[in-house]
Every structure is written in C-alpha cells, then in structure tokens.
Amino acid sequence: MDLQDEADGGPEMLRGFICASFNQDTTSLSVGTKTGYRLFSVTAVDKLDCIHEGVECPDVCIVERLFSSSLVVVVSQSVPRRMNVYHFKKGTEICNYSYTNNILSVRLNRQRLVVCLEESIYIHNIKDMKLLKTLLNTPTNPSGLCALSVNHGNSFLAYPGSATIGEITVYDANNLVSRGGFQINAITGRRHSRFPVQSTVTLIQAHASPLAALTFNASGTKLASASEKGTVIRVFSIPEGQRLFEFRRGMKRYVSISSLSFSADAQFLCASSNTETVHIFKLEQHSPNQEEESPTWSAYVGKMFTAASTYLPAQVTDMMHQDRAFATVRLNMFGLKNICALAMVQKLPRLLVASSDGYLYIYNVDPQDGGECVLVQKHRLFDDGEEQAEHKEDQPPAEGSHLPAGQSYAATVALPSSPPSSTTLLGYSEEGGAQKGDVIPEHEFAEGPLCLDDENEFPPISN
C-alpha cells in the first residue's frame, strides 16, 4: 500500500513527506522523506515508536519493509532507475539493481520481490535476489499499479491487463512455467476457454474503466479492485476469478482511489481516496431466508426492488444489488493523498490512516454495528520541534481505560547506524543475482514473523 506525491511538490512536501506504505502484516509504517526514510512501529495506540531512520539516500520515493525483518527496499527520486536493498539494523547495503526505466513500485513477500516499471515487470527470488522472470511489453502502467499476495505459498501477482479498460492479469509468481488460464468476465460471470499464456492464471474483466487500485487479502484467495472512476469496488475469488462482492463507494462524483486494504481475516475491506471519507465494507453473504425469518418493512421493500429489477436495464439492476459502506471515517482534510489499513492493535480492530499532511490517524472500528468510526489517536510523523504524538482536543481515553458509552463494544470483541557498505552487487542479469550466499536464511520462510537480528544472518554481498 503506497502513497506517493507528485514530483512538482506542493503542500504535501512542506513536511518532507514523499511516500508511505504499511508492511505486509500492518505492524509498521514506512515513510520516505527528502532526507531519507523512517520506519515506525504501529503496534500501540498511544505511542508511535520510530524503529529506524535511514539517511543512505535523499528524496526517497519508494520504501518497502519485508514484514518485521531488517530487509528494506529503497528507491530515490534522484536515481529513480536503481533499487537499493538494505539490512537497516546493520546499516549495510545488501545489493542494488538498475533497470532500463524508472521504478514505479516494489512489492515483497517471503518468496518474491517484484519491481514494476511502466511497461515491464521484474520478478526476483528474494532469498538470493536472483532475477527469475521478466515480463516485457506489459500494458502501459504509468502509476506502477500491481499487487502481490503476501502469502508466500501462493505468490499471485496482479497487474493491469489493459491500458484502456479495467482488465486484471493474475500471474503465478511462484510457478514460472507455461500453463493455461481462464478469462473471466466480471459482469456476466462467464468463464472463457483456456489460453496458453506463461504463468497467467486468470484474466478478469473487472471494470469498464482503467484500473486504479488492486489488493489481495492475506491468504491470497481474494482480490479487490477499483477503477479510475472510483464508484464501484469489486472482490474476486483467486485463482478462479469469480466475482464475490460488489460495493458502491458513491454515486455523486468520480474519485481517485488511493488505497484498498483487507482486514487480516478478510471480513472487511477499507478504501481511501482523495475525498474526506474512508469507507469500510463488510464481506458477508446475505442468507436467502434471512428476510423470511425477519419480515420487516425494509425486507419487504427489498423484495419489491428485487422483483422490479427484472424489468430494468442491467446498469440499474447492478446498482440496486451493490452493497454500501458498513462503516465510514470523516477525515478533516480534502484532496490530500492518504493510505489506509485495517489492523488489530492492542487486541481491538482499528483503522489506520497515514496522510500526506504528516500524520497517522488511528480510529476505533465497531465490527458489529459499523457506523461512524471514532478517532482515538493522532500521531505526528515529523517532529518539527513539536511533540511527536498529539491527542484530540477532547483528549480521548488512553488504551486500557474505559471507553465512552457509545464505544462499549470494545469490551466484547477484545481477544484473549552506520553508513551502507560500499561492497555492493551492481546491475542484474537473467543468470545472475546475488552471487554469494543466501540473502535470507532457509528458516526465515517459516510461518512465523521474520526476525533478522542475528549478526550472522543476512550478510552483505560483495563482488
């Protein structure tokens, strides 16, 4: 999940805030600045600890951390074609790779490192950084839009299959061999015959307009998408590509969706944009006999609309069958870029919003009733000589104290540097990659979180 400012600066640049991203399990936040990058822990509500501040290169426009490990990938605006891989706890550079064009995005999981350029995608083995596959002549993708499943057991990669319509290519980044695939029309739900495309699992005709956002759930079994219009968000099963859910963000205006993010259990999906509203959708299948068990007036009206939909145009029928937001957040800014994520922080469901105004906002989410989420903490990402964390004006209660009556649901849902090394690996080749040793030891591919603290692990690579 990335947030990147325009190169021409503007209000966002006043705080040196260039980009931001949450790591794969939403335990830390990475921000790129004019002087380097910063890594923050987001595992507590009342404090925001800065884990590391890197000054290896200025004007960082991409910074991605691999789970809770010491591996961090950095791209600078001053050298936009080069990717630097650091072990930030040792202050050493593992390697750096240069590409034929500007790097627009980087995605990581425990098996793969994916680098997206405007018309090509490079897939590396993250264990030794060897280049495994190059996808050339991909549809023009000026924003570098792509998503990589964080589940290393099924490293599905999704990226635009067209520059003019909202087609999604789902690619198997683990099994880089030729295989057949399916083409799914998201509107009709029909599956077309197999086609011989290397490692392509599915082609999904998701939207009529070009894609603007993509994200997988934690297990890699669901994929959410939004188009440039930003009015409808769809969720598909992976690898089948069948449409599971359709949510309507709004009808009055087109917006630019800046981020999509599933909760860890894939029960909720949040979406942020350039408007003042963040939407949270609930992924639940409505039981067909649910309305019969509770014959309310709303259920009766719903049946009437369902019956009437058979006589209406398909576009109108689709709108009637789209679910609206389960919960919302009203931000105190408009037009600023931001990214959102759903996480369990101190055993309670929270919505995290990192905004280009230089703040991280933390909201409580009611998983039963939804509605308007309540801001519980606001953290400053840049000191500027001021206090790092700022409370709301009404001073919300600290974690562990009693919440207001309207938030009593929480009790019911609680669950029991040194400079970089000068010996680096330059460039890349199809046969090359890291030439000495493993970048990540074999045991780091276990199900548990990555911990690269041992000085014998993750050695710097030399020529």
Side-chain angles (χ1 to χ4, degrees):
M1 290 174 286
D2 299 318
L3 178 151
Q4 187 169 335
D5 296 333
E6 289 88 348
D8 58 357
E12 294 98 332
M13 299 293 289
L14 295 178
R15 298 179 182 273
F17 193 103
I18 301 176
C19 66
S21 65
F22 292 102
N23 66 340
Q24 295 82 354
D25 55 7
T26 323
T27 56
S28 70
L29 171 67
S30 307
V31 296
T33 72
K34 293 188 72 63
T35 58
Y37 64 92
R38 294 182 183 182
L39 306 178
F40 297 95
S41 172
V42 291
T43 56
V45 172
D46 56 347
K47 63 179 180 178
L48 186 68
D49 292 329
C50 183
I51 303 170
H52 177 72
E53 183 169 1
V55 294
E56 295 89 350
C57 56
D59 299 323
V60 171
C61 58
I62 295 175
V63 54
E64 296 285 341
R65 184 186 184 190
L66 178 63
F67 288 90
S68 298
S69 74
S70 300
L71 186 151
V72 61
V73 178
V74 176
V75 177
S76 169
Q77 286 181 338
S78 59
V79 193
R81 296 185 179 187
R82 188 174 67 196
M83 173 186 71
N84 300 86
V85 183
Y86 295 109
H87 186 298
F88 70 82
K89 289 185 179 178
K90 291 183 179 180
T92 56
E93 185 178 61
I94 303 303
C95 60
N96 64 67
Y97 280 67
S98 295
Y99 301 85
T100 57
N101 211 331
N102 291 355
I103 300 170
L104 301 179
S105 63
V106 176
R107 298 289 180 263
L108 310 169
N109 65 22
R110 292 188 176 103
Q111 289 281 79
R112 299 291 181 252
L113 185 152
V114 174
V115 178
C116 184
L117 313 186
E118 185 169 359
E119 294 183 341
S120 58
I121 296 176
Y122 296 81
I123 302 174
H124 295 261
N125 180 19
I126 203 169
K127 181 180 176 182
D128 55 12
M129 295 301 169
K130 180 180 179 181
L131 179 65
L132 301 176
K133 192 71 177 179
T134 303
L135 305 179
L136 298 174
N137 302 317
T138 56
T140 301
N141 184 10
S143 64
L145 177 62
C146 68
L148 178 67
S149 167
V150 301
N151 186 321
H152 63 278
N154 55 354
S155 296
F156 292 119
L157 171 66
Y159 59 92
S162 170
T164 57
I165 62 173
E167 180 179 270
I168 305 171
T169 298
V170 180
Y171 190 90
D172 191 342
N174 264 0
N175 303 307
L176 302 174
V177 295
S178 298
R179 55 185 293 179
F182 295 103
Q183 184 168 359
I184 305 297
N185 189 305
I187 307 300
T188 65
R190 294 178 180 176
R191 176 182 298 195
H192 298 266
S193 60
R194 286 180 176 268
F195 51 91
V197 179
Q198 282 194 336
S199 299
T200 298
V201 178
T202 309
L203 288 179
I204 304 173
Q205 308 298 325
H207 304 270
S209 301
L211 298 170
L214 291 169
T215 190
F216 285 100
N217 67 333
S219 62
T221 57
K222 294 182 177 66
L223 174 67
S225 67
S227 73
E228 289 180 351
K229 291 184 177 180
T231 55
V232 175
I233 296 167
R234 295 189 171 106
V235 179
F236 304 92
S237 65
I238 299 298
E240 301 83 7
Q242 298 292 341
R243 188 175 68 184
L244 301 176
F245 301 95
E246 188 170 75
F247 304 107
R248 177 159 289 276
R249 193 213 56 81
M251 295 172 55
K252 296 180 180 180
R253 54 183 172 175
Y254 293 166
V255 302
S256 176
I257 300 289
S258 55
S259 70
L260 293 173
S261 179
F262 284 97
S263 59
D265 59 5
Q267 295 300 305
F268 299 92
L269 173 69
C270 64
S272 65
S273 66
N274 58 340
T275 71
E276 70 282 1
T277 307
V278 178
H279 296 80
I280 300 175
F281 304 97
K282 191 171 186 178
L283 283 67
E284 58 181 353
Q285 298 287 356
H286 300 290
S287 173
N289 57 4
Q290 183 176 356
E291 295 178 351
E292 297 179 3
E293 296 175 356
S294 55
T296 62
W297 171 252
S298 60
Y300 173 76
V301 173
K303 289 182 179 180
M304 293 294 291
F305 271 107
T306 301
S309 66
T310 59
Y311 304 97
L312 296 173
Q315 295 89 341
V316 178
T317 300
D318 288 343
M319 288 174 55
M320 293 170 58
H321 291 162
Q322 290 163 352
D323 291 332
R324 302 303 296 271
F326 170 76
T328 57
V329 163
R330 303 290 178 182
L331 304 175
N332 60 353
M333 82 282 292
F334 177 86
L336 296 182
K337 294 187 177 182
N338 58 77
I339 57 171
C340 62
L342 292 163
M344 295 295 293
V345 181
Q346 293 179 296
K347 300 182 180 180
L348 294 177
R350 321 280 189 177
L351 174 71
L352 309 179
V353 180
S355 172
S356 55
D357 66 353
Y359 288 92
L360 172 69
Y361 300 87
I362 303 178
Y363 297 83
N364 277 346
V365 179
D366 187 333
Q368 271 76 44
D369 300 325
E372 188 75 17
C373 300
V374 176
L375 177 66
V376 293
Q377 197 62 265
K378 174 182 174 182
H379 293 287
R380 185 186 298 276
L381 297 174
F382 302 95
D383 292 339
D384 290 337
E386 300 178 24
E387 183 180 2
Q388 184 182 29
E390 291 188 353
H391 293 271
K392 289 179 59 182
E393 292 181 1
D394 55 356
Q395 291 294 320
E399 184 67 23
S401 62
H402 294 290
L403 293 172
Q407 297 301 305
S408 59
Y409 79 91
T412 67
V413 297
L415 303 174
S417 142
S418 58
S421 169
S422 60
T423 55
T424 61
L425 177 65
L426 300 175
Y428 67 87
S429 66
E430 291 285 354
E431 299 77 28
Q435 297 177 349
K436 292 186 178 181
D438 292 343
V439 173
I440 300 181
E442 194 69 34
H443 70 270
E444 293 295 350
F445 294 97
E447 292 296 329
L450 296 172
C451 299
L452 302 179
D453 297 328
D454 190 336
E455 288 300 313
N456 296 321
E457 295 178 359
F458 218 22
I461 298 171
S462 60
N463 292 326

